[in-house]
C-alpha cells in the first residue's frame, strides 16, 4: 500500500478521498484539527510550526511516507516552498530555484 503524507490541511477534504479510493494510506498533517472533517479512512496529525530540513525529513521518516504532497494553499505555507524543495527526495514539488523565486 502506498503511504501518502499531505502537508497542510487546506481543501484536504477534496484531496484525500481520491487518494484513499485509489488504495493509498493517507495522513494529513495540518495546523488545524481535521478529525471528523475528513473521510474516516484518513489519518490526521499536527504539522509543526517550526519546520526545518531536518524536522521535515524526520516527519517523512516517522510516517514512512512513500510520497509527500505539500498543500500550498494553507495560510503561511508559501514560505515553506523552498524548504519543501530542499527535502524533495519523496515530495511532489518544484525545484528549489523556482520555489525561491515564487
Amino acid at each position: 500500500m502506498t503511504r501518502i503524507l499531505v502537508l497542510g490541511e487546506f481543501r484536504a477534504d477534496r484531496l484525500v478521498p481520491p487518494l484513499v479510493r485509489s488504495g493509498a494510506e493517507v495522513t494529513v498533517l495540518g495546523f488545524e484539527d481535521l478529525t471528523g472533517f475528513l473521510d474516516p479512512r484518513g489519518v490526521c496529525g499536527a504539522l509543526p510550526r517550526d519546520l526545518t530540513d531536518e524536522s521535515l525529513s524526520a516527519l517523512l521518516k516517522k510516517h514512512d511516507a512513500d510520497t509527500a504532497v505539500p498543500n500550498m494553499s494553507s495560510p503561511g505555507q508559501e514560505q515553506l516552498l523552498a524548504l519543501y524543495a530542499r527535502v524533495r527526495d519523496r515530495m511532489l514539488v518544484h525545484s528549489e530555484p523556482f520555489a525561491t523565486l515564487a
Side-chain angles (χ1 to χ4, degrees):
M1 176 179 293
T2 301
R3 290 188 182 104
I4 298 176
L5 185 62
V6 176
L7 303 170
E9 70 277 1
F10 184 78
R11 299 310 314 193
D13 60 323
R14 291 187 180 191
L15 179 62
V16 172
L19 295 173
V20 170
R21 280 194 304 271
S22 73
E25 180 181 299
V26 181
T27 300
V28 177
L29 299 182
F31 298 124
E32 300 295 327
D33 182 11
L34 300 176
T35 308
F37 180 67
L38 292 177
D39 183 310
R41 294 172 291 177
V43 177
C44 300
L47 182 63
R49 294 198 180 272
D50 297 324
L51 279 178
T52 63
D53 297 18
E54 295 80 21
S55 64
L56 182 52
S57 292
L59 275 176
L60 293 171
K61 187 173 185 174
K62 174 184 174 184
H63 290 278
D64 195 24
D66 297 305
T67 303
V69 180
N71 184 340
M72 298 304 165
S73 299
S74 210
Q77 290 197 17
E78 61 276 2
Q79 289 85 15
L80 299 177
L81 286 171
L83 170 64
Y84 291 157
R86 287 191 303 273
V87 185
R88 62 183 282 162
D89 61 327
R90 289 185 283 174
M91 298 186 67
L92 303 174
V93 296
H94 293 292
S95 67
E96 188 171 0
F98 177 84
T100 301
L101 177 63

